[in-house]
Amino acid sequence: MALPVPASGKRTSFLLAQLGAHAAARFADRTQALGLTPAEAGLLRLIGRSPGLSQRAAADRIGAVPSRIVALVDALQDRGLITRHRSRTDRRNHELHLTGAGQELLGRLRNVAEDQDAELLAALTAEEARELHELLVRLADHHQLDRDLHRGL
Amino acid sequence: MALPVPASGKRTSFLLAQLGAHAAARFADRTQALGLTPAEAGLLRLIGRSPGLSQRAAADRIGAVPSRIVALVDALQDRGLITRHRSRTDRRNHELHLTGAGQELLGRLRNVAEDQDAELLAALTAEEARELHELLVRLADHHQLDRDLHRGL
DNA sequence: TATTGTTATACTCTATAACTATA
DNA sequence: TATAGTTATAGAGTATAACAATA
């Protein structure tokens, strides 16, 4: 199936990349107001969803290299948002958990994400927003984008 | 209007950022096969659309800083894809034009973009692809994303 | 004095590879 | 020997600021 150039002059791939970069940048603005980088915010969410996971597991889920996790964990730990202690069953592993402050910040992060979606989709009706979401889910599934994070976010 | 967390577990903003990064990465793969970085490809397209424009004008259209244009123009010129010569009416300006080789490569670049769209949207029907495109155009307009390029592409 | 293009520099982000400690 | 985490280093990409030529 050949896809002609859309009348708008911009291809769907380009629009998607442009809007995606915009959404990521706006999200970065909002997390920065909470004192987090987007990557730190992503790791915080992941630990909230999977308490006790190892740094290696976090690296795999995020699609990052283990050495990158070290700096992120350091930053979150220094701010008192997570704890890192050795596993008793395998002393090579570090188990990551949220602190109370981490849980609290995670809650605020969820509000931020909700605000972000509302702002992004303000030009659409509720029905159109649902349609868009469903189409994007189909694309993400088709391209097997099952990671919890991605480059640039 | 409060937007609840979608049933899929991923917010629309996140999906958009993830798919956008995916589309940008796939596009980078394809342009690399043509010996171009995504930024160089974007500048080539821009010169094709606006022959004779100055580096300053290119910087404004792309949303980049003038010093960044220098390296891109150097690379394209070294490969014989564009020409750069001083304007006769204002010798501060450099006018950018495509060479024959540049025109030819631009044509191949358009095919690449077409392939990219087809691959990205393979999971959708033609009607759904049109719907998606229209919704994305509405969002881009609403957020005034009128630049010809963007960070990361 | 303002503007175009250029250069030099520094900064951010990330990956790679070598190292340690545990298994 | 294999794996988890760490450190040090290097590379890509980009912005900032000072500069020269022209208006």
Side-chain angles (χ1 to χ4, degrees):
Chain A
M1 165 182 59
L3 293 172
V5 179
S8 84
K10 285 183 183 174
R11 293 188 170 281
T12 305
S13 294
F14 180 87
L15 284 166
L16 212 46
Q18 192 171 41
L19 279 162
H22 176 75
R26 294 291 76 72
F27 184 69
D29 291 342
R30 293 173 186 273
T31 59
Q32 188 176 27
L34 296 179
L36 295 174
T37 67
E40 288 165 1
L43 180 57
L44 199 70
R45 276 200 304 266
L46 177 57
I47 299 173
R49 231 177 310 130
S50 305
L53 90 170
S54 69
Q55 296 185 194
R56 155 65 67 176
D60 290 342
R61 293 274 287 275
I62 284 179
V65 80
S67 67
R68 193 183 163 200
I69 305 297
V70 177
L72 297 176
V73 168
D74 283 349
L76 294 177
Q77 190 182 28
D78 289 350
R79 291 195 49 205
L81 299 172
I82 65 171
T83 60
R84 155 166 65 180
H85 30 57
R86 289 187 176 283
S87 163
R88 297 188 189 169
T89 59
D90 184 339
R91 289 180 44 77
R92 291 175 300 183
N93 286 310
H94 285 177
E95 296 176 352
L96 305 176
H97 290 272
L98 296 186
T99 63
Q103 304 252 12
E104 198 265 341
L105 190 58
L106 183 54
R108 279 200 275 166
L109 213 48
R110 292 206 179 94
N111 293 336
V112 156
E114 197 169 319
D115 294 347
Q116 159 96 359
D117 253 30
E119 183 193 293
L120 180 79
L121 303 172
L124 305 184
T125 67
E127 171 61 19
E128 288 169 335
R130 270 191 297 274
E131 278 177 25
L132 175 63
H133 185 266
E134 195 245 326
L135 292 170
L136 295 179
V137 167
R138 297 248 309 276
L139 291 187
D141 284 349
H142 180 254
H143 293 284
Q144 300 176 356
L145 302 182
D146 45 12
R147 287 278 162 67
D148 294 298
L149 216 63
H150 57 81
R151 304 276 185 295
L153 194 70
Chain B
M1 166 182 57
L3 295 172
V5 178
S8 83
K10 285 183 184 174
R11 294 188 169 280
T12 306
S13 294
F14 181 87
L15 284 167
L16 211 47
Q18 192 171 40
L19 280 162
H22 177 75
R26 293 294 73 73
F27 183 70
D29 292 342
R30 293 173 186 273
T31 59
Q32 188 175 27
L34 298 179
L36 296 174
T37 66
E40 288 163 2
L43 181 57
L44 199 71
R45 275 200 304 268
L46 177 56
I47 298 173
R49 231 177 310 129
S50 306
L53 90 170
S54 69
Q55 295 185 196
R56 155 65 68 175
D60 291 343
R61 292 273 287 276
I62 285 178
V65 80
S67 67
R68 194 182 162 200
I69 305 298
V70 176
L72 298 176
V73 168
D74 283 349
L76 294 177
Q77 190 182 28
D78 288 350
R79 291 196 48 206
L81 300 171
I82 65 172
T83 60
R84 155 166 66 180
H85 30 57
R86 289 188 176 281
S87 164
R88 297 187 189 167
T89 60
D90 184 340
R91 288 179 45 76
R92 290 174 303 183
N93 286 311
H94 284 177
E95 295 177 352
L96 306 176
H97 291 271
L98 295 186
T99 64
Q103 304 252 12
E104 197 266 340
L105 190 58
L106 183 54
R108 279 200 277 165
L109 213 48
R110 292 207 179 94
N111 292 336
V112 157
E114 198 168 318
D115 294 346
Q116 158 96 1
D117 253 31
E119 183 194 292
L120 180 79
L121 302 173
L124 305 184
T125 67
E127 170 61 18
E128 288 169 336
R130 269 191 298 274
E131 277 176 27
L132 175 63
H133 186 267
E134 194 245 326
L135 292 171
L136 295 180
V137 167
R138 297 249 309 275
L139 290 186
D141 284 349
H142 180 253
H143 293 285
Q144 300 176 356
L145 301 181
D146 44 12
R147 285 278 162 67
D148 292 299
L149 216 63
H150 57 81
R151 303 278 184 293
L153 194 70

